[in-house]
Amino acid sequence: MKYFFNRELVRLGLSILLLLMLGRCAPAQENNPQENPPAQSKADEKDKAVRSSDENKDKDKDRNQSGNEIVAVPNRPTFATTAEAVQRGVLEVEYGMEAADGHQNINGLIKFGIFKNLELRFLNNPFVRDDGRAGTGDSGAGFKYRIISQRKVLPTFSVLYTASFSTSTGIPGIGAAGHGVDVLFSKDFGKHHFDFNEGVRFLGRPGIGGYDRNYFTTFDYGHPLPGKWGYAVECAGFSRANAATPANMVILLTATYSPSSRLVLDIGEYTAVYGNLPGVTFFVGVTYSIADLYHRHRTSPAPSQVLSAAPSQPRFR
């Protein structure tokens, strides 16, 4: 009996001690649930921290590009016009020279980002030589308005309006005022850049009034090359306007070189597939962001690659 009593007493004591230990451990775990988190929770927290860091870096990069850096937005040398707009407050110029059998010209475009999505434009051919006759060319003015900026699957979408007027001397020109309206699409897939334009031209009829009409379509592709180089290829064409202006189509190939983000040089050629154009035309040109007239972009970035992905200027021919 004595043995039984002692054995039962020991069991009871051990049970009470165990209950007391469990009682002390439970509140500690309730009050400090993060004291010993599972391995998966630690991994999740690490992933969240990495994602947050990456997002902050992307935001900082966007802020730097939009607030501090001046980056050229070339419209030359292709026939297509990029849907992207010049940065707000930035004055930018483009000039180029063309040379072909019986045809040479100097063509220029001045652009100003008056608002974030609105670009004012002035075009002029200060020199044109056709079939041995030389003089100044025609001019144009207009605007580009960016409606949508590319995001996920959406491309950048803009509308371009250009009014052309006769300023030529010494050579035949357009002879009457005209109008052009284009819809512009631009999209980047990684380093691959695409531009697509579709437009209509209303060509004034000198002396008789009214307008002839033709349509413009172009598609181009651009990609960077090692270093500061890039290239673009394009297919562009106009429909028939009248008996004197038949339809035409060209294939263009160009290389670009960007010593800095504000400066883009280009060189290339376009070949006439059909139409009343020289067989092969060679060109060379430059795009340069002169200054930020609103003084928003305080610094210039280090030289970096800038791809002129088929930006173009409408050329008066």
Side-chain angles (χ1 to χ4, degrees):
M1 183 73 179
K2 182 178 179 181
Y3 175 77
F4 175 78
F5 176 76
N6 291 338
R7 186 175 60 184
E8 293 299 324
L9 185 61
V10 170
R11 287 180 178 177
L12 179 61
L14 292 174
S15 298
I16 293 173
L17 182 61
L18 180 61
L19 289 173
L20 290 174
M21 293 177 64
L22 292 174
R24 292 184 63 185
C25 293
Q29 290 179 353
E30 291 176 1
N31 293 334
N32 301 282
Q34 300 298 325
E35 192 170 297
N36 295 300
Q40 184 62 37
S41 297
K42 290 183 178 179
D44 292 343
E45 291 177 0
K46 186 176 180 180
D47 290 342
K48 290 180 180 179
V50 171
R51 287 195 298 269
S52 177
S53 177
D54 291 341
E55 290 175 356
N56 290 334
K57 288 180 181 179
D58 291 340
K59 290 178 181 178
D60 291 340
K61 182 179 179 181
D62 292 340
R63 283 194 293 267
N64 288 335
Q65 289 180 345
S66 62
N68 295 325
E69 299 180 359
I70 297 179
V71 180
V73 184
N75 279 235
R76 58 166 300 109
T78 59
F79 291 84
T81 300
T82 178
E84 300 299 339
V86 172
Q87 292 166 287
R88 179 172 176 262
V90 172
L91 178 66
E92 190 168 288
V93 298
E94 302 181 9
Y95 273 91
M97 296 184 292
E98 291 185 350
D101 184 18
H103 169 77
Q104 297 83 40
N105 77 14
I106 297 175
N107 49 79
L109 170 63
I110 300 173
K111 304 170 291 181
F112 177 63
I114 186 169
F115 300 124
K116 178 181 178 181
N117 295 312
L118 181 61
E119 171 187 305
L120 301 183
R121 303 159 61 87
F122 174 76
L123 308 95
N124 177 251
N125 289 356
F127 173 79
V128 178
R129 183 175 185 274
D130 282 318
D131 298 325
R133 300 170 62 184
T136 60
D138 296 309
S139 302
F143 65 87
K144 181 200 298 181
Y145 182 71
R146 182 171 54 194
I147 299 173
I148 299 174
S149 294
Q150 68 172 327
R151 182 174 300 176
K152 296 182 179 179
V153 299
L154 292 177
T156 300
F157 170 56
S158 298
V159 175
L160 173 67
Y161 169 76
T162 304
S164 56
F165 40 94
S166 178
T167 56
S168 61
T169 60
I171 60 168
I174 57 176
H179 306 274
V181 179
D182 298 83
V183 290
L184 318 174
F185 298 90
S186 295
K187 180 63 178 174
D188 293 313
F189 295 96
K191 294 183 178 181
H192 304 277
H193 181 91
F194 298 88
D195 289 310
F196 174 75
N197 296 176
E198 187 69 36
V200 58
R201 304 287 186 272
F202 297 94
L203 310 174
R205 297 170 178 165
I208 60 176
Y211 295 93
D212 290 319
R213 182 175 67 243
N214 68 354
Y215 298 92
F216 170 65
T217 303
T218 183
F219 177 79
D220 63 47
Y221 164 76
H223 194 277
L225 294 172
K228 302 178 178 68
W229 291 89
Y231 75 91
V233 294
E234 177 186 31
C235 179
F238 288 87
S239 66
R240 180 182 182 275
N242 50 46
T245 311
N248 62 60
M249 177 179 173
V250 301
I251 301 294
L252 180 145
L253 175 63
T254 181
T256 60
Y257 179 74
S258 307
S260 74
S261 66
R262 300 173 65 162
L263 176 64
V264 182
L265 309 175
D266 62 75
I267 186 171
E269 62 86 22
Y270 58 88
T271 302
V273 178
Y274 57 81
N276 188 21
L277 297 173
V280 179
T281 301
F282 298 94
F283 58 80
V284 61
V286 58
T287 301
Y288 181 64
S289 296
I290 298 176
D292 173 19
L293 302 186
Y294 292 169
H295 304 293
R296 296 176 64 251
H297 306 82
R298 298 293 181 181
T299 62
S300 295
S304 61
Q305 181 170 339
V306 178
L307 174 64
S308 171
S312 82
Q313 73 186 36
R315 298 182 177 88
F316 295 98
R317 289 193 172 84

